[in-house]
Amino acid sequence: MTTERTLDVINPATGELLTCVPDADEAEVGRAVAAARDCFQQKTWRGLDPSRRERILWSIAEGIEQDRDELAALISEENGKSPREAMAADVKPAADCFRYYAGWVRKIYGETIPVDGPYLNYTLREPVGVVGAIVPWNFPLQIAAWKVAPALACGCSVVLKPSELTPLSALKLADICAEAELPDGALNVVTGYGETTGEALALHEDVDKISFTGSIATARKLLHASSVSNLKRLSLELGGKSANIVFPDADFDAAMKGAFWGIFGGKGEMCSGGSRLLLHEEIYDRFVEELAVRARKVQIGSQISGRQMDRILDYIESGKEEGARLVCGGERDKEGEKAKGFFVKPTIFADVAPEMRIAREEIFGPVVCAIKFKEAEEALRIANNTTYGLAAGVWTRDLRLAHHMAAGLEAGSVWVNTYNAFDSGSPFGGYKQSGFGRDLGSYALEQYTNVKSVWISL
Ligand code: NAD
């Protein structure tokens, strides 16, 4: 890269400067897009034999696994989560994602359609072209893989823009791809801020599609950028305010674990976090109490930045002001070395009314709102009374009730007697303002292919 402007990459747990990376400007983004276009036009990637492309994607998965310790350490440093969590929630799923889509390369094809008249009609599935992948900082490698692997499997070329807060794992992924003999130009990484690098990509006339994970505010800008440029297609994975609903007949311990890790895993910086805990009145008090016992003991990582920490603390203040009962946490954790980072104590609010700000807006931190309900229909009403629709959890032993809830919840993923289960083969994405389009599974292939209908007169 030739850009002179740079940005600092900070370890949020220590405040230490890790390194500087380029803040790519319009010209630099233009060069990356040109390289991607050239690769697409010259067919240096999509023109390879499918079996060769399959092997290259498979080699990328192996490269990720080979460098797993280095990657986990890097993600831990740039994001603040523990290396163990980075391994489980970023490195392993990223490798699996490349392996899964390696398996798709030779299975993406059209169909023959029985049309009226003397025609042979068939469809071709063709790559959409140059894909801009814009990803956030919370699962930097996993979410990058969710975009890059299926786009490459479909024969697209990719320009990946990681978050300005976590660019290092994406740069390392580019090295791994080069070592796996992915042709030049098939994957290009541009680092920089959203309003510089990201916007240049979103406005670029030669980008055919943007696949985005991040906030609603940025999604609105991307929709605008598409409308004032080349109407590039978009898929958007946005935030959530997911309800995790516990019925009194549930396996109490399993529900407890699910509720706990559903919000405090990933330091609460999870789009699918179970941030609204809907508890049946019969178990409400006991559940909140036990959850607090665990929350007081757990050690979680640093939030991603001082800005994010302040945002979370601000929400905590609003919860107190609006009359929610603070059960535990509720403040910054400045014990010992933690004072150098941006740690927030796991926080539980009880007696939360659904109309409070903390129950409506995405906090994106280790803060859970416990809400009481009596009837299943009431739980459904509360759960669906949100502009979001990313995920939901249901805990019950009653099979009928479980299916009833799964059908009634307006969310892209519903977990029954588990929470935050993911698989490369299962689609993930939102209803309502949690976005549109799906990552993962066969569904992601829709994002990266055009369907061509061919008519042959017989
Ligand atoms: P963000 O929208 O600020 O940033 C996401 C990415 O967009 C970053 O790479 C950023 O640089 C880029 N960006 C910012 N402004 C831009 C612009 N004007 N033009 C182009 N690109 C721009 O979000 P964030 O703070 O990094 O991530 C947190 C958000 O992401 C939360 O709302 C969370 O719920 C959401 N999220 C959703 C999912 C999901 O799968 N649905 C997963 C993780 C995070």
mmCIF file of all heavy atoms in Angstrom, residues 227-262:
data_model
loop_
_atom_site.group_PDB
_atom_site.id
_atom_site.type_symbol
_atom_site.label_atom_id
_atom_site.label_comp_id
_atom_site.label_asym_id
_atom_site.label_seq_id
_atom_site.Cartn_x
_atom_site.Cartn_y
_atom_site.Cartn_z
ATOM 1 N N SER A 227 -27.390 3.913 -3.729
ATOM 2 C CA SER A 227 -28.392 4.620 -4.544
ATOM 3 C C SER A 227 -27.781 5.775 -5.331
ATOM 4 O O SER A 227 -28.263 6.099 -6.406
ATOM 5 C CB SER A 227 -29.552 5.103 -3.671
ATOM 6 O OG SER A 227 -29.183 6.255 -2.959
ATOM 7 N N VAL A 228 -26.716 6.385 -4.822
ATOM 8 C CA VAL A 228 -26.116 7.504 -5.571
ATOM 9 C C VAL A 228 -24.959 7.033 -6.455
ATOM 10 O O VAL A 228 -24.366 7.840 -7.169
ATOM 11 C CB VAL A 228 -25.631 8.647 -4.639
ATOM 12 C CG1 VAL A 228 -26.789 9.255 -3.876
ATOM 13 C CG2 VAL A 228 -24.521 8.164 -3.697
ATOM 14 N N SER A 229 -24.624 5.745 -6.389
ATOM 15 C CA SER A 229 -23.575 5.259 -7.305
ATOM 16 C C SER A 229 -24.203 4.286 -8.300
ATOM 17 O O SER A 229 -25.110 4.678 -9.042
ATOM 18 C CB SER A 229 -22.411 4.641 -6.519
ATOM 19 O OG SER A 229 -22.830 3.536 -5.734
ATOM 20 N N ASN A 230 -23.789 3.050 -8.284
ATOM 21 C CA ASN A 230 -24.186 2.126 -9.359
ATOM 22 C C ASN A 230 -25.266 1.129 -8.961
ATOM 23 O O ASN A 230 -25.385 0.076 -9.572
ATOM 24 C CB ASN A 230 -22.950 1.361 -9.839
ATOM 25 C CG ASN A 230 -22.313 0.564 -8.705
ATOM 26 O OD1 ASN A 230 -22.558 0.861 -7.533
ATOM 27 N ND2 ASN A 230 -21.514 -0.422 -9.031
ATOM 28 N N LEU A 231 -26.056 1.464 -7.928
ATOM 29 C CA LEU A 231 -27.098 0.541 -7.446
ATOM 30 C C LEU A 231 -26.525 -0.841 -7.136
ATOM 31 O O LEU A 231 -27.146 -1.864 -7.420
ATOM 32 C CB LEU A 231 -28.243 0.403 -8.462
ATOM 33 C CG LEU A 231 -29.066 1.643 -8.744
ATOM 34 C CD1 LEU A 231 -30.209 1.299 -9.695
ATOM 35 C CD2 LEU A 231 -29.630 2.245 -7.466
ATOM 36 N N LYS A 232 -25.343 -0.844 -6.574
ATOM 37 C CA LYS A 232 -24.739 -2.139 -6.222
ATOM 38 C C LYS A 232 -25.642 -2.844 -5.233
ATOM 39 O O LYS A 232 -26.318 -2.211 -4.412
ATOM 40 C CB LYS A 232 -23.327 -1.955 -5.660
ATOM 41 C CG LYS A 232 -23.225 -1.009 -4.477
ATOM 42 C CD LYS A 232 -21.804 -0.884 -3.964
ATOM 43 C CE LYS A 232 -20.844 -0.143 -4.860
ATOM 44 N NZ LYS A 232 -21.160 1.306 -5.077
ATOM 45 N N ARG A 233 -25.708 -4.172 -5.348
ATOM 46 C CA ARG A 233 -26.570 -4.909 -4.422
ATOM 47 C C ARG A 233 -25.935 -4.973 -3.050
ATOM 48 O O ARG A 233 -24.712 -4.875 -2.908
ATOM 49 C CB ARG A 233 -26.876 -6.289 -4.970
ATOM 50 C CG ARG A 233 -25.692 -7.180 -5.080
ATOM 51 C CD ARG A 233 -25.886 -8.212 -6.158
ATOM 52 N NE ARG A 233 -26.110 -7.543 -7.440
ATOM 53 C CZ ARG A 233 -26.821 -8.061 -8.430
ATOM 54 N NH1 ARG A 233 -27.361 -9.249 -8.315
ATOM 55 N NH2 ARG A 233 -26.974 -7.398 -9.559
ATOM 56 N N LEU A 234 -26.787 -5.134 -2.057
ATOM 57 C CA LEU A 234 -26.314 -5.126 -0.676
ATOM 58 C C LEU A 234 -26.870 -6.320 0.078
ATOM 59 O O LEU A 234 -28.002 -6.736 -0.158
ATOM 60 C CB LEU A 234 -26.832 -3.879 0.058
ATOM 61 C CG LEU A 234 -26.321 -2.515 -0.374
ATOM 62 C CD1 LEU A 234 -27.108 -1.426 0.355
ATOM 63 C CD2 LEU A 234 -24.850 -2.376 -0.040
ATOM 64 N N SER A 235 -26.078 -6.847 0.984
ATOM 65 C CA SER A 235 -26.668 -7.691 2.026
ATOM 66 C C SER A 235 -26.170 -7.155 3.354
ATOM 67 O O SER A 235 -25.005 -6.761 3.485
ATOM 68 C CB SER A 235 -26.330 -9.165 1.832
ATOM 69 O OG SER A 235 -24.970 -9.315 1.574
ATOM 70 N N LEU A 236 -27.070 -7.092 4.309
ATOM 71 C CA LEU A 236 -26.808 -6.385 5.553
ATOM 72 C C LEU A 236 -27.092 -7.275 6.755
ATOM 73 O O LEU A 236 -28.203 -7.779 6.906
ATOM 74 C CB LEU A 236 -27.717 -5.134 5.645
ATOM 75 C CG LEU A 236 -27.671 -4.150 4.472
ATOM 76 C CD1 LEU A 236 -28.756 -3.082 4.631
ATOM 77 C CD2 LEU A 236 -26.301 -3.483 4.366
ATOM 78 N N GLU A 237 -26.068 -7.457 7.571
ATOM 79 C CA GLU A 237 -26.238 -8.168 8.852
ATOM 80 C C GLU A 237 -26.042 -7.134 9.936
ATOM 81 O O GLU A 237 -24.924 -6.666 10.148
ATOM 82 C CB GLU A 237 -25.135 -9.221 9.019
ATOM 83 C CG GLU A 237 -25.138 -10.297 7.994
ATOM 84 C CD GLU A 237 -25.853 -11.538 8.475
ATOM 85 O OE1 GLU A 237 -26.537 -11.476 9.512
ATOM 86 O OE2 GLU A 237 -25.711 -12.554 7.795
ATOM 87 N N LEU A 238 -27.119 -6.815 10.648
ATOM 88 C CA LEU A 238 -27.030 -5.668 11.554
ATOM 89 C C LEU A 238 -27.186 -6.103 13.008
ATOM 90 O O LEU A 238 -26.890 -7.232 13.346
ATOM 91 C CB LEU A 238 -28.047 -4.619 11.123
ATOM 92 C CG LEU A 238 -27.986 -4.315 9.614
ATOM 93 C CD1 LEU A 238 -29.066 -3.375 9.174
ATOM 94 C CD2 LEU A 238 -26.611 -3.798 9.215
ATOM 95 N N GLY A 239 -27.614 -5.203 13.836
ATOM 96 C CA GLY A 239 -27.615 -5.503 15.268
ATOM 97 C C GLY A 239 -28.791 -6.348 15.720
ATOM 98 O O GLY A 239 -29.532 -6.910 14.912
ATOM 99 N N GLY A 240 -28.944 -6.432 17.025
ATOM 100 C CA GLY A 240 -30.041 -7.206 17.578
ATOM 101 C C GLY A 240 -30.373 -6.793 18.994
ATOM 102 O O GLY A 240 -29.642 -6.024 19.633
ATOM 103 N N LYS A 241 -31.518 -7.239 19.451
ATOM 104 C CA LYS A 241 -31.911 -7.055 20.852
ATOM 105 C C LYS A 241 -32.643 -8.340 21.202
ATOM 106 O O LYS A 241 -33.861 -8.359 21.440
ATOM 107 C CB LYS A 241 -32.807 -5.812 20.992
ATOM 108 C CG LYS A 241 -33.027 -5.383 22.416
ATOM 109 C CD LYS A 241 -31.783 -4.738 23.024
ATOM 110 C CE LYS A 241 -31.921 -4.554 24.517
ATOM 111 N NZ LYS A 241 -30.672 -4.067 25.150
ATOM 112 N N SER A 242 -31.897 -9.415 21.179
ATOM 113 C CA SER A 242 -32.513 -10.734 21.155
ATOM 114 C C SER A 242 -33.071 -11.149 22.508
ATOM 115 O O SER A 242 -32.473 -10.893 23.554
ATOM 116 C CB SER A 242 -31.497 -11.762 20.657
ATOM 117 O OG SER A 242 -31.077 -11.396 19.353
ATOM 118 N N ALA A 243 -34.234 -11.811 22.441
ATOM 119 C CA ALA A 243 -34.902 -12.276 23.657
ATOM 120 C C ALA A 243 -34.530 -13.729 23.912
ATOM 121 O O ALA A 243 -34.579 -14.557 23.008
ATOM 122 C CB ALA A 243 -36.416 -12.153 23.486
ATOM 123 N N ASN A 244 -34.153 -14.008 25.138
ATOM 124 C CA ASN A 244 -33.873 -15.381 25.559
ATOM 125 C C ASN A 244 -34.948 -15.713 26.594
ATOM 126 O O ASN A 244 -34.986 -15.102 27.672
ATOM 127 C CB ASN A 244 -32.453 -15.417 26.163
ATOM 128 C CG ASN A 244 -31.848 -16.794 26.124
ATOM 129 O OD1 ASN A 244 -32.498 -17.755 25.711
ATOM 130 N ND2 ASN A 244 -30.609 -16.895 26.561
ATOM 131 N N ILE A 245 -35.839 -16.649 26.248
ATOM 132 C CA ILE A 245 -37.077 -16.834 27.021
ATOM 133 C C ILE A 245 -37.019 -18.135 27.809
ATOM 134 O O ILE A 245 -36.846 -19.214 27.220
ATOM 135 C CB ILE A 245 -38.295 -16.881 26.054
ATOM 136 C CG1 ILE A 245 -38.278 -15.635 25.139
ATOM 137 C CG2 ILE A 245 -39.595 -16.974 26.830
ATOM 138 C CD1 ILE A 245 -39.241 -15.730 23.971
ATOM 139 N N VAL A 246 -37.159 -18.035 29.111
ATOM 140 C CA VAL A 246 -37.060 -19.239 29.951
ATOM 141 C C VAL A 246 -38.422 -19.547 30.589
ATOM 142 O O VAL A 246 -38.963 -18.733 31.351
ATOM 143 C CB VAL A 246 -35.991 -19.067 31.047
ATOM 144 C CG1 VAL A 246 -35.783 -20.396 31.783
ATOM 145 C CG2 VAL A 246 -34.671 -18.575 30.462
ATOM 146 N N PHE A 247 -38.943 -20.740 30.275
ATOM 147 C CA PHE A 247 -40.199 -21.205 30.869
ATOM 148 C C PHE A 247 -39.896 -21.995 32.142
ATOM 149 O O PHE A 247 -38.786 -22.522 32.297
ATOM 150 C CB PHE A 247 -40.974 -22.054 29.849
ATOM 151 C CG PHE A 247 -41.580 -21.228 28.743
ATOM 152 C CD1 PHE A 247 -40.924 -21.046 27.530
ATOM 153 C CD2 PHE A 247 -42.812 -20.595 28.940
ATOM 154 C CE1 PHE A 247 -41.480 -20.254 26.531
ATOM 155 C CE2 PHE A 247 -43.371 -19.807 27.938
ATOM 156 C CZ PHE A 247 -42.706 -19.634 26.729
ATOM 157 N N PRO A 248 -40.894 -22.118 33.018
ATOM 158 C CA PRO A 248 -40.612 -22.744 34.318
ATOM 159 C C PRO A 248 -40.293 -24.233 34.237
ATOM 160 O O PRO A 248 -39.664 -24.763 35.142
ATOM 161 C CB PRO A 248 -41.907 -22.520 35.115
ATOM 162 C CG PRO A 248 -42.934 -22.080 34.147
ATOM 163 C CD PRO A 248 -42.249 -21.546 32.945
ATOM 164 N N ASP A 249 -40.690 -24.886 33.149
ATOM 165 C CA ASP A 249 -40.409 -26.333 33.032
ATOM 166 C C ASP A 249 -39.029 -26.608 32.439
ATOM 167 O O ASP A 249 -38.650 -27.755 32.240
ATOM 168 C CB ASP A 249 -41.477 -26.998 32.164
ATOM 169 C CG ASP A 249 -41.350 -26.582 30.706
ATOM 170 O OD1 ASP A 249 -40.922 -25.430 30.448
ATOM 171 O OD2 ASP A 249 -41.644 -27.400 29.816
ATOM 172 N N ALA A 250 -38.271 -25.546 32.140
ATOM 173 C CA ALA A 250 -36.971 -25.738 31.471
ATOM 174 C C ALA A 250 -35.974 -26.426 32.394
ATOM 175 O O ALA A 250 -36.110 -26.384 33.621
ATOM 176 C CB ALA A 250 -36.415 -24.384 31.045
ATOM 177 N N ASP A 251 -34.964 -27.062 31.814
ATOM 178 C CA ASP A 251 -33.822 -27.559 32.576
ATOM 179 C C ASP A 251 -33.111 -26.309 33.119
ATOM 180 O O ASP A 251 -32.471 -25.554 32.375
ATOM 181 C CB ASP A 251 -32.916 -28.357 31.626
ATOM 182 C CG ASP A 251 -31.636 -28.833 32.302
ATOM 183 O OD1 ASP A 251 -31.194 -28.197 33.287
ATOM 184 O OD2 ASP A 251 -31.075 -29.837 31.826
ATOM 185 N N PHE A 252 -33.252 -26.104 34.416
ATOM 186 C CA PHE A 252 -32.825 -24.849 35.027
ATOM 187 C C PHE A 252 -31.333 -24.578 34.798
ATOM 188 O O PHE A 252 -30.929 -23.481 34.401
ATOM 189 C CB PHE A 252 -33.140 -24.881 36.532
ATOM 190 C CG PHE A 252 -32.996 -23.558 37.213
ATOM 191 C CD1 PHE A 252 -34.064 -22.667 37.283
ATOM 192 C CD2 PHE A 252 -31.784 -23.185 37.799
ATOM 193 C CE1 PHE A 252 -33.932 -21.434 37.922
ATOM 194 C CE2 PHE A 252 -31.644 -21.950 38.425
ATOM 195 C CZ PHE A 252 -32.725 -21.088 38.492
ATOM 196 N N ASP A 253 -30.503 -25.578 35.032
ATOM 197 C CA ASP A 253 -29.053 -25.373 34.909
ATOM 198 C C ASP A 253 -28.630 -25.091 33.472
ATOM 199 O O ASP A 253 -27.771 -24.237 33.226
ATOM 200 C CB ASP A 253 -28.288 -26.593 35.437
ATOM 201 C CG ASP A 253 -28.452 -26.717 36.939
ATOM 202 O OD1 ASP A 253 -28.792 -25.699 37.581
ATOM 203 O OD2 ASP A 253 -28.273 -27.834 37.457
ATOM 204 N N ALA A 254 -29.246 -25.828 32.562
ATOM 205 C CA ALA A 254 -28.906 -25.603 31.151
ATOM 206 C C ALA A 254 -29.331 -24.201 30.734
ATOM 207 O O ALA A 254 -28.587 -23.485 30.049
ATOM 208 C CB ALA A 254 -29.590 -26.652 30.276
ATOM 209 N N ALA A 255 -30.526 -23.791 31.148
ATOM 210 C CA ALA A 255 -31.012 -22.453 30.798
ATOM 211 C C ALA A 255 -30.115 -21.387 31.421
ATOM 212 O O ALA A 255 -29.824 -20.350 30.808
ATOM 213 C CB ALA A 255 -32.452 -22.278 31.270
ATOM 214 N N MET A 256 -29.668 -21.652 32.638
ATOM 215 C CA MET A 256 -28.783 -20.716 33.333
ATOM 216 C C MET A 256 -27.491 -20.519 32.538
ATOM 217 O O MET A 256 -27.059 -19.392 32.275
ATOM 218 C CB MET A 256 -28.486 -21.280 34.735
ATOM 219 C CG MET A 256 -27.519 -20.490 35.570
ATOM 220 S SD MET A 256 -28.116 -18.846 35.968
ATOM 221 C CE MET A 256 -29.602 -19.226 36.842
ATOM 222 N N LYS A 257 -26.883 -21.621 32.142
ATOM 223 C CA LYS A 257 -25.641 -21.542 31.352
ATOM 224 C C LYS A 257 -25.893 -20.813 30.033
ATOM 225 O O LYS A 257 -25.101 -19.977 29.601
ATOM 226 C CB LYS A 257 -25.107 -22.949 31.051
ATOM 227 C CG LYS A 257 -24.270 -23.494 32.173
ATOM 228 C CD LYS A 257 -23.477 -24.714 31.696
ATOM 229 C CE LYS A 257 -23.106 -25.559 32.890
ATOM 230 N NZ LYS A 257 -23.641 -26.906 32.885
ATOM 231 N N GLY A 258 -27.002 -21.165 29.394
ATOM 232 C CA GLY A 258 -27.322 -20.548 28.106
ATOM 233 C C GLY A 258 -27.557 -19.053 28.240
ATOM 234 O O GLY A 258 -27.117 -18.263 27.404
ATOM 235 N N ALA A 259 -28.247 -18.673 29.296
ATOM 236 C CA ALA A 259 -28.529 -17.253 29.509
ATOM 237 C C ALA A 259 -27.242 -16.500 29.838
ATOM 238 O O ALA A 259 -27.007 -15.384 29.361
ATOM 239 C CB ALA A 259 -29.536 -17.085 30.652
ATOM 240 N N PHE A 260 -26.405 -17.154 30.628
ATOM 241 C CA PHE A 260 -25.166 -16.519 31.085
ATOM 242 C C PHE A 260 -24.216 -16.257 29.912
ATOM 243 O O PHE A 260 -23.812 -15.131 29.640
ATOM 244 C CB PHE A 260 -24.500 -17.415 32.137
ATOM 245 C CG PHE A 260 -23.322 -16.782 32.777
ATOM 246 C CD1 PHE A 260 -23.485 -15.881 33.820
ATOM 247 C CD2 PHE A 260 -22.038 -17.069 32.345
ATOM 248 C CE1 PHE A 260 -22.398 -15.269 34.415
ATOM 249 C CE2 PHE A 260 -20.936 -16.461 32.936
ATOM 250 C CZ PHE A 260 -21.116 -15.569 33.971
ATOM 251 N N TRP A 261 -23.872 -17.347 29.190
ATOM 252 C CA TRP A 261 -22.923 -17.180 28.072
ATOM 253 C C TRP A 261 -23.577 -16.476 26.907
ATOM 254 O O TRP A 261 -22.893 -15.844 26.093
ATOM 255 C CB TRP A 261 -22.325 -18.526 27.665
ATOM 256 C CG TRP A 261 -21.431 -19.044 28.743
ATOM 257 C CD1 TRP A 261 -21.621 -20.155 29.508
ATOM 258 C CD2 TRP A 261 -20.231 -18.414 29.249
ATOM 259 N NE1 TRP A 261 -20.618 -20.269 30.445
ATOM 260 C CE2 TRP A 261 -19.745 -19.220 30.311
ATOM 261 C CE3 TRP A 261 -19.527 -17.251 28.910
ATOM 262 C CZ2 TRP A 261 -18.591 -18.898 31.026
ATOM 263 C CZ3 TRP A 261 -18.376 -16.941 29.619
ATOM 264 C CH2 TRP A 261 -17.914 -17.752 30.659
ATOM 265 N N GLY A 262 -24.902 -16.552 26.839
ATOM 266 C CA GLY A 262 -25.625 -15.861 25.771
ATOM 267 C C GLY A 262 -25.454 -14.356 25.831
ATOM 268 O O GLY A 262 -25.597 -13.672 24.821
#
